[in-house]
Amino acid sequence: MDGNKRWVDGELRHPDRDPKRREFVAGAQDPYGVILSCIDSRVPPELVFDTGPGDLFVMRTGGQVVGPVVVGSVEYGPMTSGTPLVVVFGHQRCGAVKAA
């Protein structure tokens, strides 16, 4: 929620995006959230929530369409890492929903 507030306020920090962080997460990952979002290029979750590498598991599909592969991908974080947060992230003016 803090990262999204920074996005809304235009005060992005772009945390954890330095070479030291990339080296740290290369060995292991422990994201605190799973995000299922749309493929829309205007709302990338990593930017909308002002996060860095290793912070989120992100799955993107057109209009948040869910099938077996997507469900398995969403389940991966909680099942393997105990990731406590799952978010289905919608947005306005979705081109995929409009096209469907």
Side-chain angles (χ1 to χ4, degrees):
M1 289 173 49
D2 292 340
N4 184 246
K5 181 170 181 357
R6 291 191 300 270
W7 166 267
V8 170
D9 294 343
E11 298 177 2
L12 298 174
R13 294 185 191 157
H14 307 293
D16 299 327
R17 295 192 183 180
D18 56 49
K20 191 177 212 177
R21 175 64 175 185
R22 290 193 306 266
E23 185 178 323
F24 176 76
V25 298
Q29 61 178 336
D30 187 25
Y32 61 81
V34 175
I35 309 271
L36 171 60
S37 73
C38 185
I39 60 172
D40 195 298
S41 64
R42 300 167 291 181
V43 288
E46 295 87 347
L47 295 180
V48 172
F49 294 106
D50 197 24
T51 63
D55 291 336
L56 301 172
F57 288 113
V58 177
M59 280 65 58
R60 297 178 76 175
T61 66
Q64 293 94 337
V65 174
V66 176
V69 172
V70 174
V71 170
S73 295
V74 169
E75 292 173 339
Y76 176 81
M79 290 176 64
T80 63
S81 302
T83 306
L85 175 67
V86 176
V87 174
V88 177
F89 175 48
H91 66 97
Q92 298 173 334
R93 295 180 291 282
C94 181
V97 170
K98 183 178 178 182

